[in-house]
């Protein structure tokens, strides 16, 4: 029996192959990451080079769900559009029922539950999409005043301090684990996001998208000029660090 053809049938070793294939679709997508900082969340995404006649601004990876919630995705863009539209409607419904904006946890759980529903019924396929959803809320008890969640095609949702999804996600997460620090300010978070994306982006600043969601404010995106200045600043700092590392070697040679 072909266990990889039916979404509702487990293989003898306990796998749902269609869900695993959906995870592979996520890994084929452009890289994306999010980083929690004090009173803000930094979102970063790799932009694939557009066609010569395509308008660059029509390609969006960092999307607003609500005034206080932002999502960055990796995987199938069409699936992202459908899923985020459903999340936006849920935000509106929550506002009508509760007369306040929904916490990030509520919307992340809603998105994860919707993804999970597409893994248990026949005639459907899983969403080939992973999301990073971040935002703020008056009742958040987190010391940094913001929350960040990841959802996967299987329907799992988990909270993170920083995370990367998409192409080369393992390498990016190792970079974040090595360089992330608690209580980072906005400037440090933006630099870390750009440094991390430079590990995988081929054409530098042109293919990097950075968004900043501050507590009490709407999403703000950096333009290409600002990203380019950051890249040049980071490269300059790296060159200075290399020069500092070379100086002790030169001193040792002179002593000999």
């Amino acid at each position: 029996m072909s266990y990889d053809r039916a979404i509702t049938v487990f293989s003898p070793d306990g796998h749902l192959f269609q869900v695993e294939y959906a995870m592979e679709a996520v890994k084929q997508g452009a890289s994306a990451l999010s980083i929690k900082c004090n009173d803000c969340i930094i979102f970063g995404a790799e932009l694939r080079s557009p066609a010569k006649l395509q308008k660059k601004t029509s390609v969006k990876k960092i999307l607003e769900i609500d005034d206080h919630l932002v999502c960055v995705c990796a995987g199938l863009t069409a699936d992202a559009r459908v899923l985020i539209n459903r999340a936006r409607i849920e935000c509106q419904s929550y506002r009508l029922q509760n007369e306040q904006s929904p916490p990030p946890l509520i919307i992340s759980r809603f998105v994860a539950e919707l993804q999970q529903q597409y893994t248990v019924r026949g005639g459907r396929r899983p969403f080939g999409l992973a999301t990073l959803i971040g935002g703020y809320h008056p009742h958040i008890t987190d010391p940094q005043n913001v929350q960040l969640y990841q959802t996967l095609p299987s329907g799992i949702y988990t909270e993170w301090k920083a995370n990367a999804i998409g192409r080369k996600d393992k390498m990016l997460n190792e970079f974040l684990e090595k360089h992330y620090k608690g209580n980072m300010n906005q400037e440090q978070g933006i630099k870390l996001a750009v440094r991390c994306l430079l590990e995988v982006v081929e054409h530098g600043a042109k293919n990097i998208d950075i968004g900043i969601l501050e507590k009490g404010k709407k999403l703000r995106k950096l333009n290409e000029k600002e990203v380019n200045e950051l890249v040049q600043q980071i490269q300059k700092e790296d060159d200075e660090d290399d020069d500092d590392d070379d100086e002790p070697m030169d001193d040792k040679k002179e002593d000999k």
Side-chain angles (χ1 to χ4, degrees), residues 102-113:
L105 170 61
I106 297 295
I107 298 304
S108 301
R109 185 167 60 198
F110 170 80
V111 171
E113 286 176 354

Side-chain angles (χ1 to χ4, degrees), residues 229-246:
E229 287 173 357
L230 276 168
V231 170
Q232 290 176 356
Q233 187 179 345
I234 288 168
Q235 289 174 344
K236 187 178 179 182
E237 289 174 2
D238 291 342
D239 291 339
E240 288 175 358
D241 290 340
D242 291 339
D243 292 339
D244 292 339
D245 292 338
D246 292 340

Side-chain angles (χ1 to χ4, degrees), residues 54-74:
Q54 184 181 6
K55 193 173 181 180
K56 190 176 179 181
T57 54
S58 66
V59 182
K60 295 180 180 179
K61 291 280 291 181
I62 303 171
L63 301 163
E64 283 184 290
I65 298 176
D66 204 339
D67 292 343
H68 68 298
L69 287 173
V70 174
C71 174
V72 63
C73 308

Side-chain angles (χ1 to χ4, degrees), residues 6-250:
I7 184 61
T8 56
V9 179
F10 282 93
S11 67
D13 54 353
H15 290 273
L16 282 173
F17 287 115
Q18 288 297 319
V19 176
E20 293 181 9
Y21 296 159
M23 290 296 299
E24 289 301 317
V26 171
K27 292 180 180 180
Q28 298 297 322
S31 302
L33 59 85
S34 293
I35 300 169
K36 268 177 66 175
C37 303
N38 290 334
D39 296 324
C40 71
I41 297 182
I42 311 301
F43 296 88
E46 173 194 8
L47 295 176
R48 297 279 172 85
S49 298
K52 202 169 185 179
L53 299 178
Q54 184 181 6
K55 193 173 181 180
K56 190 176 179 181
T57 54
S58 66
V59 182
K60 295 180 180 179
K61 291 280 291 181
I62 303 171
L63 301 163
E64 283 184 290
I65 298 176
D66 204 339
D67 292 343
H68 68 298
L69 287 173
V70 174
C71 174
V72 63
C73 308
L76 300 179
T77 307
D79 285 10
R81 185 182 69 249
V82 171
L83 203 59
I84 289 172
N85 282 340
R86 293 284 293 273
R88 286 169 177 163
I89 293 169
E90 179 64 17
C91 284
Q92 294 169 11
S93 177
Y94 189 95
R95 283 178 184 274
L96 284 171
Q97 292 175 14
N98 300 281
E99 296 184 355
Q100 65 173 349
S101 58
L105 170 61
I106 297 295
I107 298 304
S108 301
R109 185 167 60 198
F110 170 80
V111 171
E113 286 176 354
L114 189 59
Q115 288 178 296
Q116 194 275 338
Q117 288 173 15
Y118 279 72
T119 68
V120 295
R121 293 182 183 177
R124 296 178 173 184
R125 66 163 176 81
F127 285 96
L129 183 77
T131 68
L132 293 171
I133 300 172
Y136 57 85
H137 193 267
H139 302 303
I140 287 177
T141 57
D142 191 285
Q144 292 178 302
N145 299 312
V146 289
Q147 286 181 321
L148 174 65
Y149 289 89
Q150 179 196 40
T151 74
L152 297 174
S154 59
I156 295 172
Y157 68 99
T158 46
E159 188 173 2
W160 293 78
K161 295 177 181 176
N163 197 4
I165 53 178
R167 187 171 69 92
K168 297 185 179 178
D169 60 333
K170 187 177 179 181
M171 185 177 76
L172 293 177
N173 279 313
E174 286 175 357
F175 187 93
L176 289 172
E177 287 173 10
K178 186 177 179 182
H179 295 92
Y180 180 84
K181 297 175 184 176
N183 297 320
M184 294 175 70
N185 59 35
Q186 185 181 129
E187 184 181 351
Q188 291 171 325
I190 293 170
K191 279 190 176 180
L192 177 58
V194 174
R195 281 181 187 275
C196 192
L197 287 171
L198 285 172
E199 296 289 311
V200 295
V201 172
E202 296 176 358
H203 301 292
K206 289 182 180 179
N207 287 18
I208 291 177
D209 192 16
I210 299 292
I212 305 152
L213 181 67
E214 297 180 67
K215 183 184 176 184
K217 297 181 181 179
K218 289 187 177 184
L219 175 68
R220 176 174 69 89
K221 286 192 177 183
L222 300 185
N223 58 42
E224 192 174 320
K225 183 181 178 182
E226 289 174 308
V227 176
N228 197 37
E229 287 173 357
L230 276 168
V231 170
Q232 290 176 356
Q233 187 179 345
I234 288 168
Q235 289 174 344
K236 187 178 179 182
E237 289 174 2
D238 291 342
D239 291 339
E240 288 175 358
D241 290 340
D242 291 339
D243 292 339
D244 292 339
D245 292 338
D246 292 340
E247 283 178 7
M249 296 293 292
D250 295 336

